[in-house]
Amino acid sequence: MPSVALLAAALLLSPPRPLPPAEVLSRLPAPEAGQGVAVDGGFVYAIGNSGIGKYDRASGARVGRWAGDPAVVPHLNSCAVIARELVCASSNYPVTPMSSTVEVFDPDTLQHRRSTPLGRQPGSLTWIDRHAGAWWACFANYDGRGGEAGRDHRFTTVLRFDDRWRVTGAWTLPATVLARFKPHGSSGGAFGADGRLYVTGHDRPEAYVLEIPRTGNELRHVATIPVAAEGQAIAFDRSRPGVLYGISRDRRELVEMRLPSLEEPRVEDSKVEGP
C-alpha cells in the first residue's frame, strides 16, 4: 500500500486541471481601465496608471473620478475594496531601483486618505488583498524593462504582512504559472470565497488558481481558467461568490465574468445487478 508521504507527493505533482472558460456576464466601457478593476456592492472602479474612475454598476454611468499627479503616483497597479476603503498597490515602475507604496482612498468620494511607503521589497508591488486576518501582496519581477539585475520574472514573490506591515510569510509561484507570466510577473491577484488565491499575468487571458500549502513555500497550481480579460488586475464581487471582474486593456472595458466550479463532479455509485 502506498505510504501517506507518497500519496501526498503524487498530489503535489499532479498537473493543474484545465477548466471551461469563464462566462461573460457584462462589459462596461471605461477609459481608465488600463491596469485593473475593483468592485463593491454598487460600483466598479476602473484603475489606470494615475487615475481611478468610479462607475455605477446598474446604469454604467461614471459617477466619480480621481486624477493623480503622475510624478507622485506614476503607476497604480491594482485596487481592492477592503473594509470600506479602496486599497491600491502602487509602484515606481519602470524606474529602478524598485520601490512601492500602498495608497488608500475613500471609495465614496475617491479622496486620497493615506499612503504607506513599503520602500524596497523583493520586487514591484502589483496587487494586495486581505485574507485570514493578514495582508497579502505580490512583488513582481521582470526580464526586461523595469527589472533589476540578477532577478527575472521567476523571482516574483507573494508576501504576507501583519497590520504593522511586518513580513510574516513568503511564497514562491510554481513553474507552471511563472512560464505563463514570462517575461512579466503577476499583475493581478485576489482570494476567492473558497479560500484559494486567483492570480493573473500581464497579458494572457487566463486566471491561475493557487492553494497555500500546509508545508513548504511554493504555492500549488490546481487549475487554469480561460477568461475574457488579457491579464492585469482582477477583483471578486464579494456579494456574488464566483463572479470575477477583469479588464480588457485593448478595448478599455470592465468585464464581469462567472467562473466555472472547481469542485469535482460527484460520481454516484452504480448498482451492479446479478445475473
Side-chain angles (χ1 to χ4, degrees):
M1 177 181 292
S3 68
V4 173
L6 287 176
L7 288 173
L11 178 63
L12 288 173
L13 292 174
S14 61
R17 285 192 290 136
L19 292 175
E23 175 192 2
V24 175
L25 302 178
S26 70
R27 294 178 180 270
L28 175 62
E32 302 90 353
Q35 291 297 331
V37 59
V39 59
D40 60 20
F43 304 94
V44 285
Y45 305 81
I47 314 303
N49 283 337
S50 304
I52 302 171
K54 179 178 179 179
Y55 291 82
D56 182 85
R57 287 172 57 173
S59 67
R62 188 169 69 187
V63 296
R65 188 170 185 268
W66 175 81
D69 181 353
V72 179
V73 184
H75 207 272
L76 285 178
N77 288 298
S78 67
C79 298
V81 180
I82 300 171
R84 292 310 306 157
E85 292 190 315
L86 187 62
V87 182
C88 301
S90 181
S91 72
N92 66 340
Y93 177 88
V95 176
T96 56
M98 299 177 186
S99 65
S100 303
T101 64
V102 178
E103 305 295 338
V104 178
F105 299 84
D106 182 332
D108 295 328
T109 64
L110 292 187
Q111 289 184 340
H112 185 265
R113 285 182 172 173
R114 64 185 180 276
S115 178
T116 300
L118 299 182
R120 298 201 67 186
Q121 297 286 342
S124 181
L125 178 63
T126 51
W127 57 260
I128 188 166
D129 199 7
R130 186 81 178 171
H131 174 68
W135 294 104
W136 297 72
C138 180
F139 293 89
N141 286 276
Y142 313 99
D143 291 2
R145 183 171 181 259
E148 292 186 8
R151 299 202 305 262
D152 61 17
H153 71 282
R154 296 171 299 172
F155 284 73
T156 295
T157 304
V158 174
L159 297 185
R160 184 182 62 200
F161 293 89
D162 65 14
D163 287 334
R164 297 178 62 185
W165 296 104
R166 298 174 298 193
V167 176
T168 62
W171 288 264
T172 61
L173 289 111
T176 51
V177 173
L178 291 170
R180 307 295 285 176
F181 287 167
K182 185 179 181 178
H184 304 287
S186 174
S187 293
F191 281 91
D194 58 4
R196 297 181 175 100
L197 176 60
Y198 293 70
V199 301
T200 47
H202 187 267
D203 47 26
R204 289 185 183 272
E206 298 173 336
Y208 311 101
V209 188
L210 307 177
E211 289 182 346
I212 302 164
R214 292 181 180 272
T215 58
N217 67 348
E218 182 177 285
L219 299 170
R220 192 166 75 89
H221 184 193
V222 297
T224 297
I225 304 173
V227 295
E230 302 86 16
Q232 301 305 310
I234 55 176
F236 276 102
D237 180 351
R238 303 298 180 187
S239 67
R240 294 181 295 164
V243 174
L244 182 76
Y245 277 79
I247 69 167
S248 172
R249 172 182 276 182
D250 291 343
R251 300 171 63 170
R252 285 296 194 263
E253 289 180 336
L254 307 176
V255 186
E256 178 190 26
M257 299 166 284
R258 187 180 304 280
L259 298 182
S261 174
L262 268 72
E263 303 306 320
E264 295 281 3
R266 293 185 60 184
V267 178
E268 298 292 335
D269 292 335
S270 58
K271 295 180 179 180
V272 179
E273 298 182 359

